[in-house]
Amino acid sequence: MTLDRDERLYRLDYDWLWSKPPHNDGSVAKLRVILEASSKIDEEVPSAAGLQLSLQNVVREWLESLPYSAPPVWGAGGWAASVVEEEPRRVVVEVWSAGEDVADGIEDAARSLYDAVLQGRAVSAVYEQVPRDAGDR
């Protein structure tokens, strides 16, 4: 499976960010990612420590690898992320960005999550574009 053909990789929706109100006014854009593991995830790629990983642990390893860390918020160059829900085989993460580079931030966050959590694992992803509010800056 190549990166460009994997349907689990988020494709940026410029209409959501720029065409629909509040347009590109600097307000926050938030992408909710619903991750669900198949029963096979515990049999897959071990962590760097050699331990088998649950979906929650895979997500935590990703978050803790990011340069900015102030739990419950982590992030990198222009974007941030937080876990908003955890269940045994389901984790909901929100990533967000704002400002004039909002599109780059959302795209970078989604790519980082894909590379660390989804690629090579039996995990599905559903992306929800959270409605934007012009007052949220």
Side-chain angles (χ1 to χ4, degrees):
M1 172 173 5
T2 65
L3 182 66
D4 294 329
R5 294 187 183 168
D6 190 338
E7 292 299 316
R8 298 173 305 159
L9 178 62
Y10 178 72
R11 274 130 182 105
L12 193 61
D13 179 357
Y14 290 98
D15 188 47
W16 169 56
L17 296 174
W18 292 338
S19 299
K20 295 179 181 176
H23 309 289
N24 191 18
D25 69 346
S27 61
V28 172
K30 190 177 286 187
L31 183 66
R32 183 172 296 126
V33 188
I34 302 164
L35 303 165
E36 292 199 30
S38 78
S39 60
K40 293 170 35 175
I41 192 168
D42 297 328
E43 303 164 5
E44 293 180 356
V45 181
S47 71
L51 304 172
Q52 298 298 68
L53 299 177
S54 67
L55 179 57
Q56 288 86 353
N57 289 339
V58 171
V59 170
R60 289 283 174 209
E61 279 193 357
W62 166 61
L63 292 170
E64 291 171 4
S65 75
L66 299 174
Y68 175 79
S69 177
V73 176
W74 292 264
W79 59 270
S82 185
V83 173
V84 296
E85 182 183 326
E86 286 184 303
E87 295 176 19
R89 294 199 180 277
R90 183 175 191 262
V91 176
V92 179
V93 175
E94 288 183 346
V95 298
W96 62 92
S97 185
E100 65 182 46
D101 294 330
V102 66
D104 292 337
I106 293 292
E107 188 170 47
D108 291 349
R111 176 66 63 123
S112 177
L113 184 144
Y114 174 86
D115 290 345
V117 177
L118 296 168
Q119 190 173 28
R121 291 197 172 92
V123 176
S124 65
V126 174
Y127 297 95
E128 296 177 354
Q129 297 165 167
V130 177
R132 297 175 65 211
D133 179 3
D136 193 10
R137 294 179 191 234

